[in-house]
Amino acid sequence: MANFWKIVNKVIRDADVLLLVLDARMVAETRHAELESKVRREGKPLIYVVSKADLVRKEEAERHKRVLHPCVFISSTKHLGTTLLRNRILMEAKKRGLEKVTVGVLGYPNVGKSSLINALKGRKAASTSILSGHTKGVQKIKADR
């Protein structure tokens, strides 16, 4: 577990904006209160990204939207919500006067972190798998300007 927190702390420290990826099918179970507190203590903006949004009913998604702020729903497979997320990231960067922004992606295994990165990148940059823990450690990927 020590290695997990070492990686998480590095991502939080190095990022300008942090994304916490949650699975739309089980939002409450994929939240991490301690991780959210760490991000807030560092004074970094945290955007909740609810992935796999195409797998839940709209009413359920709307219920979560009332609790999570700011929140963006995405479907990496159907390429939905990525423009909204990109705009939200840029808005947070602009608030902080940043021209270049480093984005950290956090979340439990298999919530869709690598799929999200690939959707934002526009091509396969992060390896994906149905197996938990496939991607370990920190990956640095340049998305675009």
Side-chain angles (χ1 to χ4, degrees):
M1 231 15 185
N3 191 38
F4 165 79
W5 283 113
K6 186 178 177 182
I7 292 168
V8 167
N9 289 331
K10 178 177 177 31
V11 171
I12 293 171
R13 186 179 58 248
D14 294 350
D16 301 312
V17 176
L18 290 137
L19 308 179
L20 179 56
V21 183
L22 308 170
D23 187 320
R25 299 167 297 176
M26 47 188 179
V27 171
E29 294 83 356
T30 53
R31 286 187 73 181
H32 196 297
E34 188 176 354
L35 196 146
E36 292 175 45
S37 294
K38 277 182 173 283
V39 172
R40 288 203 169 76
R41 276 195 306 271
E42 289 292 321
K44 305 277 178 107
L46 177 67
I47 301 170
Y48 294 98
V49 180
V50 182
S51 66
K52 307 175 188 182
D54 56 313
L55 301 179
V56 295
R57 291 188 336 270
K58 186 176 179 175
E59 301 80 39
E60 191 174 339
E62 290 299 325
R63 191 168 35 90
H64 293 300
K65 196 179 272 191
R66 289 190 290 273
V67 177
L68 304 169
H69 301 283
C71 171
V72 178
F73 288 83
I74 65 140
S75 167
S76 298
T77 56
K78 295 186 178 182
H79 303 286
L80 302 172
T82 52
T83 301
L84 290 172
L85 178 57
R86 208 179 281 268
N87 290 341
R88 186 68 202 206
I89 292 167
L90 293 174
M91 185 171 66
E92 293 295 339
K94 187 177 179 183
K95 280 184 194 176
R96 284 155 181 71
L98 300 171
E99 205 168 293
K100 284 185 169 182
V101 61
T102 300
V103 179
V105 182
L106 302 167
Y108 279 108
N110 286 74
V111 292
K113 296 180 302 292
S114 294
S115 296
L116 169 65
I117 291 166
N118 291 335
L120 289 173
K121 175 76 175 165
R123 63 178 176 83
K124 192 168 182 170
S127 178
T128 60
S129 172
I130 59 169
L131 301 174
S132 266
H134 172 73
T135 307
K136 294 184 191 298
V138 175
Q139 298 179 59
K140 291 196 175 198
I141 299 164
K142 184 174 174 142
D144 63 18
R145 300 181 308 276

